Amino acid sequence: MAFKLIDLPYADTALEPAVSAETLSFHHGKHHQTYIDKMNAAIDGTDHANASLEAIVGAARGSNQGLFNNAAQTWNHGFYWHSMAASETAPSDDLKAKIDAAFGSVDELKEQLKARGAGHFASGWVWLAEKDGALTIEETHDGDTLADQDGVNPLLVVDVWEHAYYLDHQNKRPAYLDAVVGSKLNWTFASENLARETTWVYPN
Ligand code: MN
């Protein structure tokens, strides 16, 4: 089964000025597409050809770095598109209670996400996740992912690779984080992920 580029869940102008249509045209239309194309080429005719994306990520981790990178990046970007929303969203009562318990408030969580994103060295991802029943901020480097990690349920992610923000904010990663974390995170998506208690599945 070949994997497909999933549609953006909003218009390409919907996240402006935090993330422009121009950025999405490259980030979604070129970067994400290229990860998918390389993964599809790598699995064609192999035992992975009919596996789920999540199974491919898990099987390739530690054994096939090239396939892992492209499969994990395919998953991460799908999760990232859904981690942002065009209009303002709010956490469910259950998510809000867990945020308050772990961070004190939604605003404090946002500050910590921004700080971790700004402080992350080089390329990677900053996540809000549930681990052992409590919320935590996690970082992964390069293409690494939480998609296949036992006992960890990712709720939201922010891409901190330069390609996510350079056209709009140049070298100012904190400006990108202010804009996205400040008002574009999809708390409805995070609430759904928390309620499901199983890791999101790439909608191929
Ligand atoms: Mn990216």
Side-chain angles (χ1 to χ4, degrees), residues 32-116:
H32 194 187
Q33 182 72 65
T34 299
Y35 293 126
I36 294 167
D37 291 345
K38 288 184 175 178
M39 174 183 59
N40 283 335
I43 65 174
D44 186 37
T46 74
D47 291 345
H48 296 308
N50 294 308
S52 70
L53 180 55
E54 292 74 22
I56 293 169
V57 170
R61 179 184 288 280
S63 66
N64 184 338
Q65 190 66 39
L67 176 58
F68 175 81
N69 286 340
N70 287 298
Q73 285 292 73
T74 295
W75 196 95
N76 287 348
H77 284 87
F79 194 78
Y80 171 61
W81 308 133
H82 285 279
S83 290
M84 297 182 288
S87 53
E88 197 161 336
T89 57
S92 65
D93 290 347
D94 188 30
L95 179 56
K96 175 74 166 54
K98 285 184 177 285
I99 290 171
D100 289 349
F103 304 101
S105 67
V106 174
D107 283 346
E108 179 56 27
L109 165 59
K110 288 180 175 180
E111 291 308 309
Q112 292 191 26
L113 282 169
K114 291 180 202 175
R116 293 286 292 273

Side-chain angles (χ1 to χ4, degrees), residues 6 34 45 55 77 84 94-95 104 128 133 142-143 150 153 159 173 175 186 192 198-199:
I6 61 170
T34 299
H77 284 87
M84 297 182 288
D94 188 30
L95 179 56
L128 176 66
D142 301 323
D150 287 343
N153 185 15
D159 189 340
R173 188 192 291 173
N186 189 343
E192 291 167 356
T198 56
T199 299

Side-chain angles (χ1 to χ4, degrees), residues 182-203:
S183 62
K184 297 300 181 190
L185 290 182
N186 189 343
W187 297 102
T188 303
F189 181 61
S191 301
E192 291 167 356
N193 289 329
L194 180 69
R196 193 184 317 108
E197 295 185 343
T198 56
T199 299
W200 181 80
V201 173
Y202 185 87

Side-chain angles (χ1 to χ4, degrees), residues 141-160:
H141 286 273
D142 301 323
D144 202 359
T145 185
L146 301 185
D148 62 323
Q149 298 191 14
D150 287 343
V152 180
N153 185 15
L155 305 183
L156 289 174
V157 76
V158 181
D159 189 340
V160 297

